[in-house]
Amino acid sequence: MLQTKFWSIAASLLLASSPFCAQAQPSPLVRVNVAQPVADIQPTMWGVFFEDINFGADGGIYAELVKNRSFEFFKPLMGWKVDGKKRTEGDVLIQNRQEKSTSNPRYVRITTSNAGQGDLSMTNEGFRGMGIKPGLRYDFSVLYRVQSGNIKLHVDLLNAKDEVIGSGLLTPQQSDKSWHKQQISFKSTAGESKATLRLWFEGTGMVDLDMISLFPEDTWKGRPGGMRADMIQMLADMKPGFVRFPGGCIVEGYDLDQRYQWKKTLGPAEDRQLIINRWNFEFGHRPAPDYFQTFGLGFLEYFQLCEDIGAEPLPILNCGMACQFNTAELVPMDQLDPYVQDAIDLIEFANGDGSTKWGKVRADLGHPKPFNLKFLGVGNENWGPQYVERLAVFQKAIKEKYPAMRLVCSSGTDPNGDRFDYLNGKLREMKADLIDEHYYRRPEWFLQNVNRYDSYPRTGSKVFAGEWAAQSDKTVSVNNKNNWQCALSEAAFMTGLERNAAVVNMASYAPLFAHADGWQWTPDLIWVDNLRVYGTPNYYVQKLYSLNKGTNVLSLTQGNEPLAGQDSLYASAAWDKATNDVILKIANVSDKAQARTFQLDGAKKLAPTGRLTLLKNNTLDAVNSFENATNVSPVDQQIPVDVKKKTISLTLAPRSFSVVRVKVL
Ligand code: AHR
């Protein structure tokens, strides 16, 4: 609140001292041609890239609080502590029914004799603790099978001092020696960011337990077993044009066995076969031995998420190649069919009606309405002739059956060099719909490459700038920060993407989420802990672009040249036909205030005031944090428009990113 006040005072001071109040000297003129839009901006222009990295899914947007709920981690009791004064040999046993269930073979068998409080307990530590809110309902569920006797399950939520902050009692209702699911709900009495969940057993007997689960009531849209609402809200607030999922390298897998297979992510949670998350062991300096993919968040949920937030789904599938930084395993060409079939089936799953095999699967899962999938990625960061060869098979098969499906194709790991040049050439020969470019580079690179797409062909393949982020140190360095310098360089670079919307049809920052206590990769757009979430300066840049996307590119020039680095200024302009707004985006990366007059040529009649949204900070190292979440965040103000001259005069604050909207009446 105080900060808002500070900014509005600062803004009015800026307004009072700016050239539109006392025009001493005419400032350089920037011309915007409103009469003749030069290209369309695709509705998909600004989107988000989601991957289960940094505890993005399990321990992140998937709201399950129990870690290793099904005892399928390599160490079956990882995350669990067995305790109690009556503990005896064999009273807690891991059973494996692999011959009966390959997707969820393990469960735990508890045997007790006349047990009471303190005698035998199992405590789950959660994903770096459990975030518990005061007075909220928590839903505990378990799959159980009573073998003999009567054992009751006491469920306690504990705070960091091991004090009970919520509890319930589950008395198994069935004793017919088969599996049953039972749920109880209880309210927490206090909040805690590092809570644990203790089960203790009362009575005598033997019971088998599996899928021990705890969800908060306040999931996204209140869906049971759903997603963490505060994290999803951050995405919804961006109104992204698309969501790319589920990655990233996890699509490829360390080896082919660990690749992402969408068909294994459907149906009851207990049937979704867990695999290791390749970020578990990828970085020796950031090990996460407890990082697995439960797939509680699966493809139906991803599609549903896209539908919820009005984004086009963009699933990426494995192309028959494991991560080339890891095993680089290849599926022989004569065995590629199942991979291709997965792609064909996915399209049917998303778009087919109930009369089709996979459309019916979707309908039976509770979503009869098709998702209208338009984009599909084949391969993530794959490269070389082996990729081209495999992609060609996918392309032929998919286009034959679904000619309108737009395929996203990989140009490898880097935006230049032999790998890129080879693939870029080949993909254009193949008439690839969209070429996925990745750039994790220093902020200077982003400034130097603002003209990257000016010389790209206007016809043929389009670009999906699928993964990028300015690195304050270097790629995969743990020292990278989401600082203002990086965000500002991205804002400047994005003027080049917008100016070239004829070529660039989609763009997304990467990675999206990181858990402060469990990350492997930095920088990331949104940081969370068990209870809190904050957007980085980079998030606000992405959000401003997305919320001010417009529908058409307008030409914006200073002295007949695009404003792309002269005096450290970078600018682009768009027209929004839905609102009749002219939208200007201007990054001033210099440490000086700079005045410019924007002339809106060809605009019939302008509204007398416009809106300036300003993102700025004098310190390039400035970051946001849980404690200071809006340190670098946008502030709105009204600005005057000279309706006679059809100009807007701005003093662009040092190290700032400005978005201006002016209505044409
Ligand atoms: O965004 C993190 C990783 O960077 C992605 O998984 C991969 O595609 C890229 O190398």
Side-chain angles (χ1 to χ4, degrees):
M1 191 61 187
L2 262 181
Q3 200 175 10
T4 319
K5 206 161 175 194
F6 167 78
W7 279 115
S8 63
I9 294 167
S12 45
L13 287 177
L14 176 71
L15 213 68
S17 62
S18 70
F20 46 69
C21 294
Q23 195 101 34
Q25 268 192 349
S27 55
L29 195 67
V30 178
R31 306 196 83 112
V32 179
N33 187 343
V34 180
Q36 278 179 319
V38 291
D40 290 344
I41 297 173
Q42 298 303 316
T44 52
M45 183 72 187
W46 310 114
V48 294
F49 159 93
F50 180 84
E51 175 169 18
D52 191 3
I53 183 173
N54 303 318
F55 285 81
D58 285 295
I61 62 173
Y62 184 47
E64 172 65 87
L65 292 168
V66 176
K67 183 171 74 180
N68 194 13
R69 63 187 175 187
S70 62
F71 309 99
E72 304 299 334
F73 284 17
F74 292 167
K75 294 182 180 170
L77 283 172
M78 186 179 252
W80 293 94
K81 191 171 136 212
V82 180
D83 212 351
K85 48 184 191 292
K86 268 200 187 169
R87 260 222 80 177
T88 53
E89 200 71 41
D91 54 5
V92 176
L93 291 175
I94 296 297
Q95 308 273 314
N96 190 322
R97 60 192 145 175
Q98 202 158 23
E99 62 297 340
K100 286 206 173 153
S101 164
T102 47
S103 55
N104 179 21
R106 292 199 190 124
Y107 57 92
V108 67
R109 171 163 293 177
I110 307 291
T111 310
T112 58
S113 170
N114 216 7
Q117 188 160 16
D119 288 343
L120 181 63
S121 65
M122 291 179 65
T123 305
N124 189 272
E125 66 188 21
F127 296 89
R128 312 296 191 269
M130 297 177 185
I132 299 298
K133 295 177 191 161
L136 193 71
R137 196 192 77 217
Y138 286 85
D139 299 329
F140 171 87
S141 66
V142 64
L143 283 179
Y144 72 87
R145 179 170 62 176
V146 173
Q147 294 289 4
S148 63
N150 295 298
I151 299 183
K152 291 178 182 170
L153 270 68
H154 290 264
V155 183
D156 289 344
L157 267 176
L158 305 177
N159 66 13
K161 293 184 201 149
D162 275 354
E163 295 158 346
V164 176
I165 55 165
S167 57
L169 175 65
L170 188 143
T171 308
Q173 295 300 301
Q174 312 284 337
S175 52
D176 57 1
K177 294 201 174 184
S178 51
W179 287 101
H180 298 278
K181 183 175 178 178
Q182 200 169 318
Q183 179 176 316
I184 55 163
S185 298
F186 56 90
K187 279 199 171 168
S188 58
T189 53
E192 171 62 58
S193 63
K194 297 275 182 191
T196 54
L197 180 77
R198 182 174 61 200
L199 308 184
W200 59 271
F201 307 98
E202 183 190 342
T204 301
M206 186 188 281
V207 66
D208 298 334
L209 304 176
D210 200 1
M211 297 300 286
I212 300 173
S213 168
L214 186 74
F215 275 89
E217 161 194 13
D218 65 343
T219 54
W220 171 251
K221 293 194 177 286
R223 292 196 184 111
M227 300 190 202
R228 208 177 122 172
D230 58 344
M231 292 175 72
I232 302 300
Q233 192 59 53
M234 291 291 280
L235 303 186
D237 290 347
M238 293 172 80
K239 296 196 187 339
F242 65 90
V243 178
R244 166 182 166 180
F245 59 89
C249 289
I250 63 163
V251 170
E252 302 161 46
Y254 175 82
D255 58 21
L256 284 168
D257 275 351
Q258 292 169 17
R259 73 187 190 278
Y260 196 103
Q261 298 187 59
W262 72 270
K263 288 175 181 165
K264 295 189 175 182
T265 72
L266 306 178
E270 59 270 24
D271 295 341
R272 303 184 189 187
Q273 188 178 355
L274 168 148
I275 59 172
I276 194 166
N277 187 311
R278 50 105 63 206
W279 298 108
N280 179 309
F281 53 84
E282 180 67 16
F283 294 140
H285 56 284
R286 298 290 303 171
D290 56 345
Y291 203 2
F292 289 78
Q293 298 184 78
T294 63
F295 301 114
L297 176 58
F299 257 44
L300 183 76
E301 290 78 19
Y302 283 120
F303 276 114
Q304 176 88 69
L305 167 65
C306 295
E307 185 179 75
D308 288 346
I309 64 176
E312 294 292 346
L314 168 52
I316 306 277
L317 296 184
N318 187 294
C319 63
M321 301 173 79
C323 179
Q324 287 160 278
F325 290 117
N326 297 153
T327 59
E329 280 182 352
L330 293 172
V331 171
M333 289 302 290
D334 62 359
Q335 290 163 47
L336 191 58
D337 279 3
Y339 290 73
V340 179
Q341 195 59 48
D342 270 358
I344 302 279
D345 291 345
L346 179 64
I347 299 169
E348 190 174 281
F349 175 75
N351 294 351
D353 62 30
S355 68
T356 63
K357 177 179 167 195
W358 284 99
K360 181 171 180 329
V361 171
R362 185 199 65 243
D364 290 349
L365 289 171
H367 202 287
K369 195 170 145 221
F371 288 112
N372 194 16
L373 177 70
K374 302 184 186 97
F375 302 93
L376 181 64
V378 179
N380 176 46
E381 268 184 353
N382 297 111
W383 67 80
Q386 297 76 18
Y387 174 62
V388 173
E389 194 177 24
R390 282 162 183 76
L391 174 66
V393 178
F394 277 84
Q395 193 189 37
K396 184 165 180 295
I398 295 170
K399 291 285 181 180
E400 256 170 33
K401 192 150 188 207
Y402 300 106
M405 190 58 53
R406 301 196 68 205
L407 297 184
V408 169
C409 309
S410 162
S411 67
T413 52
D414 293 279
N416 50 13
D418 292 347
R419 266 182 205 158
F420 177 84
D421 292 342
Y422 167 77
L423 278 178
N424 195 37
K426 283 284 176 200
L427 295 178
R428 285 173 189 277
E429 274 172 30
M430 290 168 77
K431 301 196 187 329
D433 296 314
L434 288 143
I435 301 179
D436 183 3
E437 297 189 1
H438 294 183
Y439 19 90
Y440 295 103
R441 291 290 192 270
R442 296 264 317 157
E444 304 80 52
W445 184 93
F446 284 85
L447 299 182
Q448 286 154 7
N449 281 271
V450 69
N451 291 323
R452 175 178 176 87
Y453 297 108
D454 291 359
S455 54
Y456 268 51
R458 305 283 118 173
T459 54
S461 303
K462 303 298 179 196
V463 169
F464 167 38
E467 286 186 35
W468 47 274
Q471 314 284 297
S472 68
D473 187 16
K474 56 180 186 272
T475 319
V476 308
S477 162
V478 293
N479 298 320
N480 284 323
K481 296 276 177 284
N482 281 99
N483 67 25
W484 178 229
Q485 182 184 18
C486 290
L488 185 56
S489 71
E490 289 155 7
F493 175 76
M494 290 166 82
T495 62
L497 299 186
E498 182 177 284
R499 188 174 60 247
N500 287 290
V503 170
V504 182
N505 284 184
M506 306 172 107
S508 46
Y509 182 100
L512 183 56
F513 286 114
H515 192 295
D517 300 330
W519 56 272
Q520 294 79 50
W521 181 296
T522 180
D524 304 284
L525 203 61
I526 299 167
W527 285 79
V528 307
D529 63 14
N530 290 341
L531 286 172
R532 297 175 295 177
V533 52
Y534 75 86
T536 57
N538 318 69
Y539 169 81
Y540 288 109
V541 167
Q542 295 294 318
K543 185 173 166 185
L544 281 178
Y545 267 90
S546 188
L547 296 185
N548 295 286
K549 181 166 49 197
T551 51
N552 303 82
V553 183
L554 299 176
S555 133
L556 177 150
T557 52
Q558 179 183 295
N560 287 329
E561 293 293 326
L563 189 47
Q566 303 91 311
D567 301 321
S568 300
L569 292 178
Y570 301 79
S572 57
W575 169 248
D576 189 340
K577 65 182 173 210
T579 58
N580 271 8
D581 283 355
V582 174
I583 307 168
L584 309 176
K585 302 190 182 78
I586 314 125
N588 176 10
V589 305
S590 77
D591 57 3
K592 295 182 186 53
Q594 302 203 58
R596 288 292 182 277
T597 299
F598 292 82
Q599 169 92 49
L600 305 191
D601 293 327
K604 280 199 189 111
K605 192 178 172 198
L606 294 174
T609 56
R611 193 187 76 207
L612 166 66
T613 306
L614 186 62
L615 194 54
K616 67 168 194 160
N617 202 287
N618 283 328
T619 315
L620 291 175
D621 286 343
V623 293
N624 292 342
S625 62
F626 292 113
E627 290 70 32
N628 198 356
T630 53
N631 183 35
V632 186
S633 60
V635 175
D636 278 347
Q637 67 183 88
Q638 234 187 35
I639 52 165
V641 174
D642 187 328
V643 290
K644 269 203 186 138
K645 292 188 186 155
K646 295 183 181 142
T647 58
I648 305 157
S649 295
L650 294 175
T651 298
L652 301 157
R655 294 173 175 157
S656 66
F657 176 52
S658 306
V659 179
V660 174
R661 291 189 83 109
V662 181
K663 202 163 280 303
V664 177
L665 301 172

